[in-house]
Amino acid sequence: MDASSTSSITSKGQVTIPKALRQQLGLARGSRVSFQLVGDHIEVRPCRPQQPLPVSGFGMLKSKRPPVPVDFDAASLLRP
């Protein structure tokens, strides 16, 4: 498939972006796109996150359990 494809507009005004184009741009379910009127056509562009994604997931999960002490030794659980 080339970079230009056609799609129909549904009664709700929705358009399907062809699979090859979604894959090429890294668009998945929930991805956001922006629309801009340029002259006599519409440009659709992927919205990239303002902040880069974190390299580590540390601290992203919340828990109601008390934190594990820093000096906790998991091997101590194996000793009788």
Side-chain angles (χ1 to χ4, degrees):
M1 178 178 284
D2 62 11
S4 174
S5 298
T6 62
S7 185
S8 299
I9 299 175
T10 69
S11 61
K12 293 183 178 183
Q14 299 170 334
V15 177
T16 300
I17 300 171
K19 184 177 181 180
L21 294 175
R22 291 192 316 261
Q23 289 175 335
Q24 189 173 358
L25 293 172
L27 298 173
R29 183 174 190 230
S31 295
R32 299 194 52 88
V33 295
S34 66
F35 299 89
Q36 185 174 6
L37 182 61
V38 178
D40 64 345
H41 65 277
I42 299 170
E43 289 185 359
V44 181
R45 296 177 185 261
C47 294
R48 301 294 179 210
Q50 296 293 330
Q51 301 173 359
L53 296 175
V55 175
S56 167
F58 182 79
M60 293 179 67
L61 299 178
K62 303 294 180 198
S63 175
K64 294 183 181 192
R65 293 182 175 183
V68 177
V70 176
D71 61 346
F72 176 74
D73 180 16
S76 66
L77 298 174
L78 301 175
R79 292 186 216 135

Coordinates of all heavy atoms in Angstrom, one line a residue:
M1 N 0.8 -1.2 0.0 CA 0.0 0.0 0.0 C 0.9 1.2 0.0 O 1.9 1.3 0.7 CB -0.9 0.0 1.2 CG -1.8 1.2 1.4 SD -2.9 1.1 2.8 CE -4.1 0.0 2.3
D2 N 0.5 2.2 -0.8 CA 1.3 3.4 -0.8 C 0.9 4.4 0.3 O 0.0 4.0 1.1 CB 1.3 4.1 -2.2 CG -0.2 4.6 -2.6 OD1 -1.0 4.5 -1.7 OD2 -0.4 4.9 -3.7
A3 N 1.5 5.5 0.4 CA 1.2 6.5 1.5 C -0.1 7.1 1.3 O -0.6 7.8 2.2 CB 2.3 7.5 1.6
S4 N -0.8 7.0 0.2 CA -2.1 7.6 -0.1 C -3.1 6.5 -0.2 O -3.0 5.5 -1.0 CB -2.0 8.4 -1.4 OG -3.3 8.9 -1.7
S5 N -4.2 6.5 0.6 CA -5.3 5.6 0.5 C -6.6 6.3 0.7 O -6.6 7.5 1.1 CB -5.1 4.6 1.6 OG -3.9 3.8 1.5
T6 N -7.7 5.6 0.4 CA -9.0 6.2 0.6 C -9.8 5.5 1.6 O -9.5 4.3 1.9 CB -9.8 6.3 -0.7 OG1 -10.0 4.9 -1.2 CG2 -9.1 7.1 -1.8
S7 N -10.7 6.2 2.2 CA -11.6 5.6 3.2 C -12.9 6.3 3.2 O -12.9 7.5 2.8 CB -10.9 5.7 4.6 OG -11.7 5.0 5.6
S8 N -14.0 5.7 3.7 CA -15.3 6.3 3.7 C -15.5 6.9 5.0 O -15.0 6.5 6.1 CB -16.4 5.3 3.4 OG -16.2 4.7 2.2
I9 N -16.4 7.9 5.1 CA -16.8 8.6 6.3 C -18.1 8.0 6.7 O -19.0 7.9 6.0 CB -16.9 10.1 6.1 CG1 -15.6 10.7 5.7 CG2 -17.5 10.8 7.4 CD1 -15.7 12.2 5.4
T10 N -18.2 7.5 8.0 CA -19.4 6.9 8.5 C -20.4 8.0 8.9 O -20.1 9.2 8.8 CB -19.1 6.1 9.8 OG1 -18.8 7.0 10.9 CG2 -18.0 5.1 9.6
S11 N -21.6 7.6 9.2 CA -22.7 8.5 9.6 C -22.3 9.3 10.8 O -22.8 10.4 11.1 CB -24.0 7.8 9.8 OG -23.9 6.9 10.9
K12 N -21.4 8.8 11.6 CA -20.9 9.5 12.8 C -19.7 10.4 12.5 O -19.1 11.0 13.4 CB -20.5 8.5 13.9 CG -21.7 7.8 14.5 CD -21.2 6.9 15.6 CE -22.4 6.2 16.3 NZ -21.9 5.4 17.4
G13 N -19.3 10.5 11.3 CA -18.1 11.3 10.9 C -16.8 10.6 11.2 O -15.7 11.3 11.2
Q14 N -16.8 9.3 11.4 CA -15.6 8.6 11.7 C -14.9 8.1 10.4 O -15.6 7.7 9.4 CB -15.9 7.4 12.6 CG -16.4 7.8 13.9 CD -17.0 6.7 14.8 OE1 -17.3 5.6 14.2 NE2 -17.0 6.9 16.1
V15 N -13.6 8.0 10.4 CA -12.8 7.5 9.3 C -11.8 6.5 9.8 O -11.2 6.7 10.9 CB -12.1 8.7 8.6 CG1 -11.2 8.2 7.4 CG2 -13.0 9.7 8.1
T16 N -11.7 5.4 9.1 CA -10.7 4.4 9.4 C -9.3 4.7 8.8 O -9.3 4.9 7.5 CB -11.1 3.0 9.0 OG1 -12.4 2.7 9.7 CG2 -10.1 1.9 9.4
I17 N -8.3 4.8 9.5 CA -6.9 5.0 9.0 C -6.5 3.6 8.6 O -6.5 2.7 9.4 CB -6.0 5.6 10.0 CG1 -6.5 7.0 10.5 CG2 -4.6 5.7 9.4 CD1 -5.7 7.6 11.6
P18 N -6.1 3.4 7.3 CA -5.7 2.1 6.8 C -4.5 1.5 7.7 O -3.7 2.2 8.2 CB -5.1 2.4 5.4 CG -5.9 3.6 5.0 CD -6.0 4.4 6.2
K19 N -4.6 0.2 7.9 CA -3.7 -0.6 8.8 C -2.2 -0.3 8.5 O -1.4 -0.1 9.4 CB -4.0 -2.0 8.7 CG -3.2 -2.9 9.6 CD -3.6 -4.3 9.6 CE -2.7 -5.1 10.6 NZ -3.1 -6.6 10.5
A20 N -1.9 -0.3 7.2 CA -0.5 -0.1 6.8 C 0.0 1.3 7.3 O 1.2 1.4 7.8 CB -0.3 -0.2 5.3
L21 N -0.8 2.3 7.2 CA -0.4 3.6 7.6 C -0.3 3.7 9.1 O 0.6 4.3 9.7 CB -1.4 4.7 7.1 CG -1.5 4.9 5.6 CD1 -2.5 5.8 5.2 CD2 -0.1 5.3 5.1
R22 N -1.3 3.1 9.8 CA -1.3 3.0 11.3 C 0.0 2.4 11.8 O 0.7 2.9 12.7 CB -2.5 2.3 11.9 CG -3.8 3.0 11.7 CD -4.9 2.4 12.5 NE -4.9 0.9 12.5 CZ -5.8 0.2 11.7 NH1 -6.6 0.8 10.9 NH2 -5.7 -1.1 11.8
Q23 N 0.4 1.3 11.2 CA 1.6 0.6 11.6 C 2.8 1.4 11.3 O 3.7 1.5 12.1 CB 1.7 -0.8 10.8 CG 0.7 -1.8 11.3 CD 0.7 -3.1 10.5 OE1 1.1 -3.1 9.3 NE2 0.3 -4.2 11.1
Q24 N 2.9 2.0 10.1 CA 4.0 2.9 9.8 C 4.2 4.0 10.7 O 5.3 4.4 11.1 CB 3.8 3.4 8.3 CG 5.1 4.0 7.8 CD 4.9 4.4 6.3 OE1 3.8 4.1 5.7 NE2 5.9 5.0 5.7
L25 N 3.1 4.6 11.3 CA 3.2 5.7 12.2 C 3.2 5.3 13.6 O 3.3 6.1 14.5 CB 2.1 6.7 11.9 CG 2.1 7.4 10.6 CD1 0.9 8.2 10.3 CD2 3.3 8.3 10.5
G26 N 3.0 4.0 13.9 CA 3.0 3.5 15.3 C 1.7 3.9 16.0 O 1.7 4.1 17.2
L27 N 0.6 4.0 15.3 CA -0.7 4.3 15.9 C -1.4 3.0 16.3 O -1.4 2.1 15.6 CB -1.6 5.1 14.9 CG -1.0 6.4 14.4 CD1 -1.9 7.0 13.3 CD2 -0.9 7.4 15.5
A28 N -1.9 3.0 17.5 CA -2.6 1.9 18.1 C -3.9 2.4 18.7 O -4.1 3.6 18.8 CB -1.7 1.2 19.1
R29 N -4.7 1.5 19.2 CA -5.9 1.8 19.8 C -5.7 2.8 21.0 O -4.8 2.6 21.8 CB -6.6 0.6 20.4 CG -7.9 0.8 21.0 CD -8.6 -0.4 21.4 NE -10.0 -0.2 21.8 CZ -10.5 -0.6 22.9 NH1 -9.8 -1.3 23.8 NH2 -11.8 -0.3 23.2
G30 N -6.4 3.9 21.0 CA -6.2 4.9 22.0 C -5.2 6.0 21.6 O -5.1 7.0 22.3
S31 N -4.5 5.8 20.5 CA -3.6 6.9 20.1 C -4.4 8.1 19.7 O -5.5 8.0 19.3 CB -2.8 6.4 18.8 OG -1.9 5.3 19.1
R32 N -3.8 9.3 19.9 CA -4.4 10.5 19.6 C -3.8 11.1 18.3 O -2.6 11.0 18.1 CB -4.3 11.5 20.8 CG -4.9 10.9 22.0 CD -5.1 11.9 23.1 NE -5.8 13.1 22.8 CZ -7.2 13.2 22.9 NH1 -7.9 12.2 23.2 NH2 -7.7 14.4 22.6
V33 N -4.7 11.7 17.5 CA -4.3 12.4 16.3 C -4.9 13.8 16.3 O -5.9 14.1 17.0 CB -4.7 11.7 15.0 CG1 -4.0 10.3 14.9 CG2 -6.2 11.5 15.0
S34 N -4.2 14.7 15.6 CA -4.7 16.1 15.5 C -5.1 16.3 14.0 O -4.6 15.7 13.1 CB -3.7 17.1 15.9 OG -2.6 17.1 15.0
F35 N -6.1 17.2 13.8 CA -6.6 17.5 12.5 C -6.3 19.0 12.2 O -6.5 19.8 13.1 CB -8.1 17.3 12.4 CG -8.5 15.8 12.6 CD1 -8.7 15.4 13.8 CD2 -8.6 15.0 11.5 CE1 -9.1 14.1 14.1 CE2 -8.9 13.7 11.7 CZ -9.2 13.2 13.0
Q36 N -5.9 19.3 11.0 CA -5.6 20.7 10.7 C -6.1 21.0 9.3 O -5.7 20.2 8.4 CB -4.1 21.1 10.8 CG -3.8 22.5 10.6 CD -2.4 22.9 10.9 OE1 -1.6 22.0 11.2 NE2 -2.1 24.1 10.9
L37 N -6.8 22.0 9.1 CA -7.3 22.4 7.7 C -6.1 23.2 7.1 O -5.7 24.2 7.6 CB -8.5 23.2 7.8 CG -9.1 23.7 6.5 CD1 -9.5 22.5 5.6 CD2 -10.4 24.6 6.7
V38 N -5.7 22.7 6.0 CA -4.6 23.4 5.2 C -5.1 23.6 3.8 O -5.2 22.6 3.0 CB -3.3 22.5 5.2 CG1 -2.2 23.2 4.4 CG2 -2.8 22.2 6.6
G39 N -5.4 24.8 3.5 CA -5.9 25.1 2.2 C -7.2 24.4 1.9 O -8.2 24.6 2.6
D40 N -7.2 23.5 1.0 CA -8.4 22.7 0.6 C -8.3 21.3 1.1 O -9.1 20.5 0.6 CB -8.6 22.8 -0.9 CG -7.5 22.1 -1.7 OD1 -6.4 21.8 -1.1 OD2 -7.7 21.8 -2.9
H41 N -7.5 21.0 2.0 CA -7.4 19.6 2.5 C -7.1 19.5 4.0 O -6.8 20.5 4.6 CB -6.3 18.8 1.8 CG -4.9 19.3 2.0 ND1 -4.4 20.4 1.3 CD2 -3.9 18.9 2.9 CE1 -3.1 20.6 1.7 NE2 -2.9 19.7 2.7
I42 N -7.3 18.4 4.6 CA -7.1 18.1 6.0 C -5.9 17.3 6.2 O -5.7 16.3 5.5 CB -8.3 17.4 6.6 CG1 -9.6 18.2 6.4 CG2 -8.1 17.1 8.1 CD1 -10.9 17.4 6.8
E43 N -5.0 17.8 7.1 CA -3.9 17.0 7.5 C -4.1 16.3 8.9 O -4.6 17.0 9.8 CB -2.6 17.9 7.7 CG -2.1 18.4 6.3 CD -0.8 19.2 6.5 OE1 -0.3 19.3 7.6 OE2 -0.3 19.6 5.4
V44 N -3.9 15.0 8.9 CA -4.0 14.3 10.2 C -2.6 13.9 10.6 O -1.9 13.3 9.9 CB -4.9 13.0 9.9 CG1 -5.0 12.2 11.2 CG2 -6.2 13.3 9.3
R45 N -2.3 14.3 11.9 CA -1.0 14.0 12.4 C -1.1 13.3 13.8 O -1.9 13.6 14.6 CB -0.2 15.4 12.6 CG 0.0 16.1 11.3 CD 0.7 17.4 11.7 NE 0.9 18.2 10.5 CZ 2.0 18.3 9.8 NH1 3.1 17.6 10.2 NH2 2.1 19.0 8.7
P46 N -0.2 12.4 14.0 CA -0.2 11.8 15.3 C 0.3 12.8 16.4 O 1.1 13.6 16.2 CB 0.9 10.6 15.2 CG 1.6 10.8 13.9 CD 0.8 11.9 13.1
C47 N -0.4 12.7 17.5 CA 0.0 13.5 18.7 C 1.0 12.8 19.5 O 0.8 11.7 19.9 CB -1.2 13.8 19.6 SG -2.4 14.9 18.8
R48 N 2.2 13.3 19.6 CA 3.2 12.7 20.4 C 3.2 13.2 21.8 O 2.8 14.4 22.0 CB 4.6 13.0 19.8 CG 4.7 12.5 18.4 CD 4.7 11.0 18.3 NE 4.8 10.6 16.9 CZ 4.3 9.5 16.4 NH1 3.5 8.7 17.2 NH2 4.4 9.2 15.2
P49 N 3.5 12.4 22.8 CA 3.4 12.8 24.2 C 4.4 14.0 24.4 O 5.5 14.1 23.9 CB 3.9 11.6 25.0 CG 4.1 10.5 24.1 CD 3.9 11.0 22.7
Q50 N 3.9 15.0 25.2 CA 4.7 16.1 25.6 C 5.9 15.8 26.4 O 7.0 16.3 26.2 CB 3.9 17.2 26.3 CG 2.7 17.7 25.5 CD 3.2 18.6 24.4 OE1 4.2 19.2 24.4 NE2 2.4 18.6 23.3
Q51 N 5.8 14.8 27.2 CA 6.9 14.3 28.1 C 7.3 13.0 27.6 O 6.5 12.1 27.2 CB 6.4 14.2 29.5 CG 5.9 15.5 30.1 CD 5.4 15.2 31.5 OE1 5.3 14.1 32.0 NE2 4.9 16.3 32.2
P52 N 8.6 12.7 27.5 CA 9.1 11.4 27.1 C 8.6 10.3 28.1 O 8.5 10.6 29.3 CB 10.6 11.5 27.1 CG 10.9 12.7 27.9 CD 9.7 13.6 27.9
L53 N 8.4 9.1 27.6 CA 8.0 8.0 28.5 C 9.1 7.7 29.4 O 10.3 7.7 29.0 CB 7.6 6.8 27.7 CG 6.3 7.0 26.8 CD1 6.1 5.8 26.0 CD2 5.1 7.3 27.7
P54 N 8.9 7.4 30.7 CA 9.9 7.0 31.6 C 10.6 5.7 31.2 O 10.0 4.8 30.7 CB 9.2 6.8 32.9 CG 7.8 6.6 32.6 CD 7.5 7.2 31.3
V55 N 12.0 5.7 31.4 CA 12.7 4.5 31.1 C 12.4 3.4 32.1 O 12.4 2.3 31.8 CB 14.3 4.9 31.2 CG1 15.1 3.7 31.0 CG2 14.6 5.9 30.2
S56 N 12.1 3.8 33.3 CA 11.8 2.9 34.4 C 10.4 3.1 34.8 O 9.8 4.2 34.8 CB 12.7 3.1 35.6 OG 12.3 2.4 36.7
G57 N 9.7 2.0 35.3 CA 8.4 2.1 35.8 C 8.4 2.3 37.3 O 7.3 2.2 37.9
F58 N 9.5 2.5 37.9 CA 9.6 2.6 39.3 C 8.7 3.8 39.8 O 8.8 4.9 39.3 CB 11.1 2.9 39.8 CG 11.2 3.0 41.3 CD1 11.3 1.9 42.0 CD2 11.3 4.2 41.9 CE1 11.4 1.9 43.4 CE2 11.4 4.3 43.3 CZ 11.5 3.2 44.0
G59 N 7.9 3.5 40.8 CA 7.1 4.4 41.4 C 5.7 4.7 40.7 O 5.0 5.5 41.2
M60 N 5.5 4.0 39.7 CA 4.2 4.2 38.9 C 3.1 3.5 39.5 O 1.9 3.9 39.3 CB 4.4 3.8 37.5 CG 5.4 4.6 36.7 SD 5.6 4.1 35.0 CE 4.0 4.5 34.3
L61 N 3.3 2.4 40.3 CA 2.2 1.6 40.9 C 2.0 2.1 42.3 O 2.9 2.3 43.1 CB 2.6 0.1 40.9 CG 2.7 -0.5 39.5 CD1 3.1 -2.0 39.6 CD2 1.5 -0.3 38.6
K62 N 0.8 2.2 42.7 CA 0.4 2.6 44.0 C -0.1 1.3 44.8 O -0.7 0.5 44.2 CB -0.7 3.6 44.0 CG -0.4 4.9 43.2 CD 0.7 5.6 43.9 CE 1.0 6.9 43.0 NZ 2.3 7.4 43.3
S63 N 0.3 1.3 46.1 CA -0.1 0.1 46.9 C -0.5 0.6 48.3 O 0.0 1.6 48.8 CB 1.1 -0.8 47.0 OG 0.7 -1.9 47.9
K64 N -1.5 -0.1 48.9 CA -1.9 0.3 50.2 C -1.1 -0.5 51.3 O -1.2 -0.2 52.4 CB -3.4 -0.1 50.4 CG -4.3 0.8 49.5 CD -5.7 0.5 49.7 CE -6.5 1.4 48.8 NZ -7.9 1.5 49.1
R65 N -0.2 -1.4 50.8 CA 0.7 -2.1 51.7 C 1.8 -1.2 52.2 O 2.2 -0.3 51.4 CB 1.3 -3.3 51.0 CG 0.2 -4.4 50.7 CD 0.9 -5.5 50.1 NE 0.0 -6.6 49.8 CZ 0.3 -7.8 49.3 NH1 1.6 -8.0 49.0 NH2 -0.6 -8.7 49.2
P66 N 2.3 -1.5 53.4 CA 3.5 -0.7 53.8 C 4.7 -1.0 52.9 O 4.8 -2.1 52.4 CB 3.7 -1.1 55.3 CG 3.0 -2.4 55.4 CD 1.9 -2.4 54.4
P67 N 5.6 0.0 52.7 CA 6.8 -0.3 51.9 C 7.7 -1.3 52.6 O 7.8 -1.4 53.8 CB 7.4 1.1 51.8 CG 6.9 1.9 52.9 CD 5.6 1.3 53.3
V68 N 8.5 -2.0 51.7 CA 9.5 -3.0 52.2 C 10.7 -2.2 52.6 O 11.1 -1.3 51.9 CB 9.8 -4.0 51.1 CG1 10.9 -4.9 51.5 CG2 8.6 -4.7 50.6
P69 N 11.3 -2.5 53.8 CA 12.5 -1.7 54.2 C 13.6 -1.9 53.2 O 13.7 -2.9 52.5 CB 12.8 -2.4 55.5 CG 11.6 -3.1 56.0 CD 10.8 -3.5 54.7
V70 N 14.4 -0.9 53.1 CA 15.5 -0.9 52.1 C 16.5 -2.0 52.4 O 17.0 -2.6 51.5 CB 16.3 0.5 52.2 CG1 17.5 0.4 51.3 CG2 15.3 1.6 51.8
D71 N 16.7 -2.3 53.7 CA 17.7 -3.4 54.1 C 17.0 -4.8 54.1 O 17.6 -5.7 54.6 CB 18.3 -3.0 55.4 CG 17.3 -3.0 56.5 OD1 16.1 -2.9 56.3 OD2 17.7 -3.0 57.7
F72 N 15.8 -5.0 53.6 CA 15.2 -6.3 53.6 C 16.0 -7.2 52.7 O 16.4 -7.0 51.6 CB 13.7 -6.1 53.0 CG 13.0 -7.4 52.9 CD1 12.6 -8.1 54.1 CD2 12.8 -8.0 51.7 CE1 11.9 -9.3 54.0 CE2 12.2 -9.2 51.6 CZ 11.7 -9.9 52.7
D73 N 16.2 -8.4 53.3 CA 16.9 -9.5 52.6 C 15.9 -10.6 52.3 O 15.5 -11.3 53.1 CB 18.0 -10.0 53.5 CG 18.9 -11.1 52.8 OD1 18.8 -11.3 51.6 OD2 19.6 -11.8 53.6
A74 N 15.6 -10.8 51.0 CA 14.7 -11.8 50.6 C 15.1 -13.2 50.9 O 14.3 -14.1 51.1 CB 14.4 -11.7 49.1
A75 N 16.5 -13.4 51.0 CA 17.0 -14.7 51.3 C 16.6 -15.1 52.7 O 16.6 -16.3 53.0 CB 18.5 -14.7 51.1
S76 N 16.3 -14.1 53.6 CA 16.0 -14.5 55.0 C 14.6 -15.2 55.0 O 14.4 -15.9 56.0 CB 15.9 -13.2 55.8 OG 14.8 -12.4 55.3
L77 N 13.8 -15.1 54.0 CA 12.6 -15.9 53.9 C 12.8 -17.4 53.7 O 12.0 -18.2 54.1 CB 11.7 -15.3 52.8 CG 11.2 -13.9 52.9 CD1 10.5 -13.5 51.7 CD2 10.4 -13.7 54.2
L78 N 14.0 -17.7 53.2 CA 14.3 -19.1 52.9 C 14.9 -19.9 54.1 O 14.8 -21.1 54.1 CB 15.3 -19.2 51.7 CG 14.7 -18.6 50.4 CD1 15.8 -18.7 49.3 CD2 13.5 -19.4 49.9
R79 N 15.4 -19.2 55.0 CA 16.0 -19.8 56.2 C 14.9 -20.2 57.2 O 14.0 -19.4 57.4 CB 17.0 -18.8 56.9 CG 18.2 -18.5 56.0 CD 19.2 -17.7 56.8 NE 19.8 -16.8 55.8 CZ 20.0 -15.5 56.0 NH1 19.7 -14.9 57.1 NH2 20.6 -14.8 55.0
P80 N 15.1 -21.4 57.8 CA 14.1 -21.8 58.8 C 14.2 -21.0 60.1 O 15.1 -20.4 60.5 CB 14.4 -23.2 59.1 CG 15.7 -23.5 58.4 CD 16.1 -22.4 57.6

